[in-house]
Amino acid sequence: MSNKSLVSITDYDRDDILSILSSAAEFEKNPNRKILDGKVVATLFFEPSTRTRLSFETAVIRLGGSIIGFSDAATSSSAKGETLHDTIQMVGSYADAIVMRHYLEGAARYASEVSPVPVVNAGDGANQHPSQTLLDLYSILKTQKKLERLNICLVGDLKYGRTVHSLIMAMSHFDPTFKFIAPEELKMPDEYKVFCRKNNIPFTESDELAGNFDDADILYMTRVQKERFRDLMEYERVKNVYTLRNDMLSESKPNLRILHPLPRVTEINPDVDANEKAYYFQQAQNGLYVRQAIMNRLINK
Ligand code: CP
């Protein structure tokens, strides 16, 4: 068992987070250092991904390491009934670290407990996505020049959105104020509101987007995730609930930056892309440097 895994953002304290962000800045200056020469990283994706898998794989390859794994679990022996326990045991005997995305909440924690090598949670159901959170923090730091005392507006699928759940926990180190904007069906779960109250983090809730983020420093949009709904009728009711358009940004603060973990569907109109406040594509690029910092920390002692 390895205790170096990154399963939840709460595995890292404030100093750990700041250390990763500082390391990411160094990797951004030079992303091609061969510090993982001879190392093998396994990427096991039981759910679809573009950015997370490809940026982790690019991170490792640019650092001189190699990749094994699968992007479609149907091509692995899990399709024959092999347990997650046995898959992790086997892959852990081939690789120096495992990056895993799984549809079950808690799967990454379980994998980290049975793995002989570090495990990175690349998203477990609606629970956590800590590497996304670290790249979100890096993007916030780069655009705002600070992490402390920011107004952050979280919009969309706050019920199933693992990125917003992880972000609340990470920002708790930096005195944020949150606004949660979601329809009734996708409201922020109570456990995260309890977390905010316990940590003296002010928050308000609304179901209105237009005119409701003019005091925000960060507008964090999220996709309504069809794959998390048991009732597809409910998904149909809320799928287009918010669409951010360029004309809605006219009263926003000059320093506002719009983040989105991506992929987007209808929640950000393409006419926002040309606005200098749109930062979601740079945010995804930042993921490369942050994931290099994570792999360096996990594999290089
Ligand atoms: N942000 C994110 O997790 O994107 P992918 O699903 O494409 O990996």
Side-chain angles (χ1 to χ4, degrees), residues 45 47-55 101 122-123 129 131-132 135-136 162-163 220 223 227 260-263 283-284 291:
F45 277 67
E47 270 196 338
S49 167
T50 296
R51 278 146 292 274
T52 308
R53 184 174 67 83
L54 294 180
S55 62
R101 171 170 289 185
H129 193 351
S131 68
Q132 176 71 45
L135 78 87
D136 292 343
R162 57 195 173 198
T163 64
Y220 194 101
R223 175 176 66 95
E227 63 272 28
H260 190 311
L262 303 178
Q283 177 189 1
R291 287 172 173 136

Side-chain angles (χ1 to χ4, degrees), residues 105-168:
E105 294 177 28
R109 180 65 69 197
Y110 176 72
S112 76
E113 287 170 357
V114 299
S115 174
V117 297
V119 172
V120 181
N121 179 8
D124 60 331
N127 188 32
Q128 284 267 325
H129 193 351
S131 68
Q132 176 71 45
T133 303
L134 290 164
L135 78 87
D136 292 343
L137 293 181
Y138 187 60
S139 300
I140 293 169
L141 182 61
K142 274 179 75 175
T143 60
Q144 305 298 319
K145 313 294 178 218
K146 65 172 189 174
L147 290 171
E148 293 78 11
R149 292 174 297 285
L150 294 171
N151 284 335
I152 300 180
C153 194
L154 305 177
V155 182
D157 183 352
L158 307 188
K159 179 178 179 183
Y160 300 113
R162 57 195 173 198
T163 64
V164 293
H165 301 160
S166 294
L167 187 59
I168 288 172

